[in-house]
Amino acid sequence: MATAAVLSPTHVFAPEIQGNQTLPAWKVPATTQESLDWVSLETIDLNDLDSNDPAVRASLISRSKHALSVDGFLYVVGTDVTQETIQRQLAITQHIIKGIADEEKAGYTAKLSEGSYRGHKPKGIWSREGVVDNIEHYNFESPSFDGNIDQHPPSLRPFLPEIQAFADYTYNHIVRKILEIISLVLELPPDALWKLHSQDGVIGDSCQRYMGYHPRSQEDEEKTKNIWSKGHTDYNTISLLFSQPIAALQILTPNNEWKWVQHHDGAVVVNVADALDFLTGGVLKATRHRVIRPPTDQSDITRLILIHFARARGALVLNPLYESPIVKRDGVHAFQDRIDAGERAPTQAEWLAERIKRTGHEEYTEHKKPGEGRVQERVLGRQVDYYV
């Protein structure tokens, strides 16, 4: 079992770990004063999983099932991660995105064309309507923590112990508990989904991302209809976004309306992604979400965020889990056409790599300008929808 799984957050994020390296503090942005159309999402507390009261546990499972099968999104609290820790991790994000020179990061670029996000994804490599993207991120996977510090920029290396501890705790404590809840939702043994995720390395086959969205000019915003990241689903099982005050994330509701996701101190925004959708035969929904320009009173601030993408074992074939009574009754195989043709469903690694390769280079079946709605492409025999 990974170290962070058996230590309390107090030990994992002890002051002596955080205090070794000085960084400019991340200044917490003020929440927007604009009146936005916020989405109503369920909030679950991980502590309820350990309750001795059957009614508390039953309520947890029932509310989680409704949220994940209808909205595909929910808030999670009770992670035991302090705001001090989140602010420190966002200070590290700020250092990566704004403090390390682009020239230094240039030698550590992720191999996107090979289907890998590990390393640095610079802004400005994708283009739409003549406007380059404003998205930058640095991604850590288990090999990122193998002791070879030369794979990271020199200015990042002093912070690797903190990054590793945070990623370790997120995966081996928070993700594991959420997967236990989802297993119970599916009427499976509590460890069923966790067993489908690798325990090799610090975070199995998963990914810890430090990310920034850079402000854009008004001219560029007009050309792109304020869309920073088009409506999409994620490629993994579940995604965890540590809530921060800058409003920009929207989800597409079952009523086909885009609504804003509101910030809540101490919460993690969790969403179902493609692989879990496939494993549950669509019982749990991978909900489309997008990032748009923040409200006017936040639009000139670089939006810094922490995301953890939990991924199933790379070799896992993404067939429905028919051992779940719910999936057996209500699930539909996402790759039935491939099965009928004598092929198999893709693995988590195959689906992930193909989606990464296509990101920014999608081959839509029809062309639409920004703001004109849904477009589609075929990926490994599956129709994938985007909202441009």
Side-chain angles (χ1 to χ4, degrees), residues 51 63 78 97 101 103 120 177 185 232 297 309 321 323 375:
S51 174
R63 290 183 292 111
I97 300 301
E103 293 77 13
H120 179 238
K177 281 199 166 187
V185 164
H232 65 282
D297 55 0
F309 297 105
L321 299 171
E323 54 268 40
V375 293

Side-chain angles (χ1 to χ4, degrees), residues 56-365:
V56 171
R57 287 173 58 87
S59 173
L60 170 68
I61 303 308
S62 175
R63 290 183 292 111
S64 299
K65 180 179 180 180
H66 181 267
L68 296 173
S69 60
V70 176
D71 297 319
F73 268 75
L74 48 69
Y75 294 109
V76 171
V77 297
T79 65
D80 292 332
V81 178
T82 66
Q83 282 301 106
E84 178 186 12
T85 294
I86 295 301
Q87 290 180 27
R88 173 64 177 182
Q89 290 293 310
L90 285 167
I92 294 174
T93 308
Q94 179 176 258
H95 174 62
I96 294 171
I97 300 301
K98 302 178 71 175
I100 302 178
D102 290 341
E103 293 77 13
E104 182 179 345
K105 290 180 284 193
Y108 304 89
T109 303
K111 298 178 180 178
L112 303 180
S113 63
E114 298 177 16
S116 173
Y117 272 137
R118 182 156 62 96
H120 179 238
K121 184 271 166 194
K123 67 179 186 295
I125 63 171
W126 302 321
S127 177
R128 182 162 173 77
E129 301 300 322
V131 178
V132 296
D133 73 275
N134 62 336
I135 302 168
E136 181 178 359
H137 44 77
Y138 198 100
N139 303 276
F140 296 87
E141 299 176 358
S142 286
S144 305
F145 306 117
D146 65 4
N148 175 23
I149 64 172
D150 292 340
Q151 64 181 301
H152 304 290
S155 299
L156 175 57
R157 295 169 192 171
F159 305 97
L160 289 174
E162 291 179 72
I163 293 168
Q164 178 174 335
F166 183 71
D168 188 334
Y169 184 82
T170 299
Y171 183 62
N172 289 287
H173 178 76
I174 304 174
V175 169
R176 184 172 185 169
K177 281 199 166 187
I178 295 170
L179 291 176
E180 181 175 342
I181 293 170
I182 298 173
S183 294
L184 296 173
V185 164
L186 297 172
E187 300 178 15
L188 291 169
D191 60 352
L193 287 178
W194 179 245
K195 286 181 176 179
L196 301 183
H197 291 67
S198 173
Q199 279 82 65
D200 294 334
V202 175
I203 54 173
D205 290 334
S206 297
C207 173
Q208 182 78 30
R209 174 174 293 178
Y210 292 70
M211 188 171 189
Y213 288 87
H214 297 271
R216 291 199 299 206
S217 69
Q218 184 60 38
E219 180 183 1
D220 284 350
E221 296 292 4
E222 290 173 359
K223 290 179 180 178
T224 58
K225 303 301 182 185
N226 297 324
I227 298 173
W228 286 5
S229 179
K230 63 183 175 293
H232 65 282
T233 56
D234 294 336
Y235 319 149
N236 43 297
T237 51
I238 57 173
S239 301
L240 289 72
L241 169 68
F242 289 84
S243 188
Q244 53 73 51
I246 297 181
L249 177 63
Q250 294 185 331
I251 72 169
L252 188 63
T253 70
N255 294 328
N256 212 37
E257 298 175 309
W258 289 106
K259 294 201 172 190
W260 297 79
V261 176
Q262 192 167 18
H263 167 61
H264 292 293
D265 279 341
V268 180
V269 182
V270 176
N271 66 274
V272 176
D274 288 345
L276 185 58
D277 188 315
F278 301 155
L279 289 169
T280 64
V283 170
L284 303 184
K285 307 295 184 185
T287 298
R288 284 157 192 84
H289 53 284
R290 68 181 184 181
V291 177
I292 70 168
R293 186 187 192 187
T296 303
D297 55 0
Q298 296 181 323
S299 61
D300 61 344
I301 307 171
T302 300
R303 180 176 180 256
L304 301 172
I305 56 175
L306 297 165
I307 307 179
H308 188 98
F309 297 105
R311 301 169 180 165
R313 290 195 311 270
L316 181 71
V317 179
L318 299 175
N319 289 319
L321 299 171
Y322 289 125
E323 54 268 40
S324 160
I326 296 174
V327 175
K328 185 176 182 179
R329 183 187 68 223
D330 300 328
V332 176
H333 204 306
F335 298 96
Q336 190 60 52
D337 289 347
R338 287 172 60 110
I339 303 301
D340 292 343
E343 303 177 43
R344 61 162 174 79
T347 64
Q348 168 72 96
E350 290 167 344
W351 182 257
L352 177 72
E354 189 64 23
R355 292 295 306 271
I356 292 173
K357 290 176 188 177
R358 289 169 178 259
T359 299
H361 308 284
E362 293 85 358
E363 299 178 358
Y364 302 136
T365 55

Side-chain angles (χ1 to χ4, degrees), residues 3-15 17-18 85 161-162 164-170:
T3 302
V6 295
L7 295 178
S8 72
T10 302
H11 288 96
V12 173
F13 307 118
I17 295 178
Q18 296 189 9
T85 294
E162 291 179 72
Q164 178 174 335
F166 183 71
D168 188 334
Y169 184 82
T170 299

